[in-house]
Amino acid sequence: MATVATALPESATAPAHRDGNVLRWLAAYTASLMGDSVYFVALGWSAQKAAGPTEVGLVMAAGALPRAVLMLGGGVVADRFDPRRVILGSDALRCLLILAVAACIALSAPALWILVAVALVFGAVDALFVPAIGALPPRITSPEQLARVTGMRSLSMRLSQITGPPIAGLAMGLGGVVAAFAVAGLLFALSLPLLLSVRMPPLGSRREERSELGTAREDLLDGLRYIRRHRLIGPLVAAGALCELGLAGTLNVGMVLLNAERGWGPSGYGWIVSSFGAGAAASAALLAVAGWLPRAGLTLAGTLLVGCAGAAAIALVPTLWMAVVLAGVIGLSAGVFGSLDNALIQTAADPAYLGRVTSVVMVTMVGLAPLGYPLVGAAIGAWGAAPVFVGCGTFASLGAVVALASGAVRRAELPRQRAGLTT
C-alpha cells in the first residue's frame, strides 16, 4: 500500500542530528522519559513506606493493567487526532496528576489507596502517550532519517534510565518523596513548551476522510486488518512479538534467578545488566551516527538470531566474565534488531495508521510479554535455568524464522540518504 505523501518542514530535509525540529522533539521526549523514571522511583518508595512488600508489588503493577488494556484505543486516538496534541494533553495530565500527588503527600501520609489510584490513572494516560509518541517521528523528518531518529530515541531512553533514578534519589535525600514527585511533575512540565515548538504538517485528505467515515471500533479493526495484510509490517510485528515473548521474561526475571543459581552475587548481576545496557546503547549510537545499514531486513533477522543464541547460551557458560560478554552481545544484537524493526515499520506504514501500528507493537511489550514473567520463574524453579533459557531462546528465534520466510522482509531496505545530506 502506498504511503501518504506529506509536505515536511524544510528542516526535515536536513540530517536529523542537525534538525532543530527533531532536536526539540527529542529534548521534550527525554524530559518526559526522565519524569517517568523519577515518578516510578518515587511511587515505589512511597509504597514501601505505606505498606509491605506485597502491597508494593500491587502499586507498582497497578499502572500496567490500564496501559495494556487501553493501548489499542490510544492508537486510534493518535490516528484520529493530531498526535502532537495528544502528547501535549497526556503530558499535561501527568504533570498535574504528579504535582497533585506531591501536594497530597505533603499534607498527609501517603495512603495506599491514593498510590494505587495514581498508578491506575498514570497507566491510562500512558496508553494515550505511547502510541502518539510513536506516530510523531515520520511526521517531523524524512524517511531516510528515520533510522537515525530511532537511534537517537533509543539513546534518549538509555539516558533517562541512567539519570532518572539518581535524580529521584537526590530529590528524596533533600526533600523526601514530596520533592521527588515534584521533580517528576516539573520534568513533564518542561516537555510542554518544547513540544509546542515542534512543527508538524497535516497528513492530508486520505486521513481526514478515513477519520470521518469510521467509528472508533471500526478504526481499530481497520488498523488490525492493515497490519495483518501488509506484506512487510505484518511479518515485522509478528517477529517483534515473538522476540518479546521469548526473551523478555528470560532477561528480566530469568537473569536474576540465574545469577542466584550460580552464586555470582549482587555485583555479578550488576556487571551482567550493565554489559547488556552498554551493548544496547552501542547499537543505538550506531544507528544515530550511521543513519543507515545495508540489507536491513536480512540484518534484522541475523541480529535477532545472534541475540537468541546468546540468550540460550548465557545459562550454559561456566564463568561470570563469559556471561558478561554474552550479555553485551545480546544487548547489541537486540538493540540493532529493535531499531531496524521500528525504523522499517515506520518507513513502510501509511502515516494514517502509525498510531494503531505503534499501539499493537507496544501491547506485545507492555501487555503480553510481562505475562511470561511468572511462567519463567516457575519453570526455572522446577527445571533450573539452563533448559528454560535454551527453550526461551529457541522460541524467540521463531521471530527470525517469520522474518526470513517473508520475501518482503528479506528484500527490505532503509531509504538511502540523498546526495548532499550525508555527514
Side-chain angles (χ1 to χ4, degrees):
M1 182 178 293
T3 57
V4 177
T6 61
L8 290 166
E10 245 181 74
S11 63
T13 61
H17 61 287
R18 296 180 183 174
D19 185 347
N21 205 41
V22 172
L23 294 176
R24 288 190 296 273
W25 164 79
L26 187 67
Y29 182 55
T30 303
S32 186
L33 286 176
M34 290 174 65
D36 276 340
S37 186
V38 174
Y39 155 75
F40 281 113
V41 173
L43 183 70
W45 192 257
S46 300
Q48 182 268 333
K49 293 181 66 177
T54 302
E55 288 79 8
V56 172
L58 172 65
V59 171
M60 298 303 288
L65 179 62
R67 188 183 299 113
V69 171
L70 300 176
M71 187 76 74
L72 294 179
V76 173
V77 172
D79 286 338
R80 277 179 164 254
F81 303 100
D82 181 343
R84 187 184 61 167
R85 292 182 181 178
V86 176
I87 297 168
L88 282 166
S90 57
D91 254 4
L93 283 174
R94 295 196 295 183
C95 175
L96 294 174
L97 173 67
I98 300 309
L99 291 178
V101 173
C104 181
I105 294 176
L107 297 174
S108 63
L112 185 65
W113 71 268
I114 292 178
L115 299 176
V116 171
V118 168
L120 289 170
V121 174
F122 195 93
V125 177
D126 245 11
L128 296 174
F129 176 83
V130 172
I133 201 71
L136 206 56
R139 302 278 297 276
I140 61 175
T141 193
S142 54
E144 62 268 18
Q145 292 297 319
L146 277 175
R148 176 168 279 135
V149 170
T150 298
M152 294 164 64
R153 181 180 173 184
S154 297
L155 282 175
S156 172
M157 294 172 64
R158 294 293 168 188
L159 176 64
S160 68
Q161 292 167 354
I162 292 169
T163 59
I167 291 173
L170 177 62
M172 285 191 289
L174 295 175
V177 292
V178 174
F181 276 118
V183 168
L186 292 175
L187 285 167
F188 291 135
L190 176 62
S191 71
L192 297 177
L194 292 166
L195 283 170
L196 280 170
S197 68
V198 174
R199 300 184 305 278
M200 190 177 68
L203 276 174
S205 59
R206 282 183 57 194
R207 176 193 181 274
E208 293 165 1
E209 291 169 3
R210 188 177 289 121
S211 295
E212 290 171 1
L213 290 174
T215 64
R217 180 176 180 275
E218 289 169 344
D219 276 3
L220 174 58
L221 294 176
D222 183 38
L224 295 176
R225 285 191 294 267
Y226 173 79
I227 294 170
R228 179 173 58 84
R229 293 171 180 171
H230 199 288
R231 295 178 60 193
L232 179 60
I233 294 176
L236 288 176
V237 170
L242 289 168
C243 173
E244 285 291 334
L245 290 172
L247 296 185
T250 305
L251 299 178
N252 287 285
V253 176
M255 205 66 78
V256 176
L257 299 177
L258 171 66
N259 190 75
E261 184 181 286
R262 296 298 176 84
W264 288 332
S267 62
Y269 179 70
W271 277 108
I272 291 173
V273 173
S274 297
S275 180
F276 179 88
S283 70
L286 172 66
L287 264 294
V289 172
W292 183 83
L293 290 177
R295 298 178 179 266
L298 290 175
T299 302
L300 173 148
T303 51
L304 177 54
L305 281 175
V306 171
C308 293
I314 198 169
L316 304 175
V317 298
T319 61
L320 173 60
W321 74 266
M322 294 177 69
V324 171
V325 171
L326 271 179
V329 172
I330 296 168
L332 179 63
S333 302
V336 173
F337 163 77
S339 295
L340 288 177
D341 189 62
N342 185 59
L344 286 171
I345 287 174
Q346 290 201 327
T347 301
D350 183 327
Y353 287 97
L354 270 170
R356 281 164 286 181
V357 171
T358 301
S359 69
V360 171
V361 172
M362 293 306 298
V363 162
T364 65
M365 297 176 64
V366 303
L368 298 180
L371 296 179
Y373 291 3
L375 296 177
V376 169
I380 291 177
W383 301 310
V388 175
F389 271 69
V390 171
C392 289
T394 302
F395 178 84
S397 68
L398 294 176
V401 174
V402 169
L404 291 171
S406 166
V409 174
R410 293 195 305 272
R411 294 187 298 270
E413 293 281 5
L414 293 170
R416 292 298 300 265
Q417 294 181 348
R418 293 187 294 273
L421 294 185
T422 55
T423 57

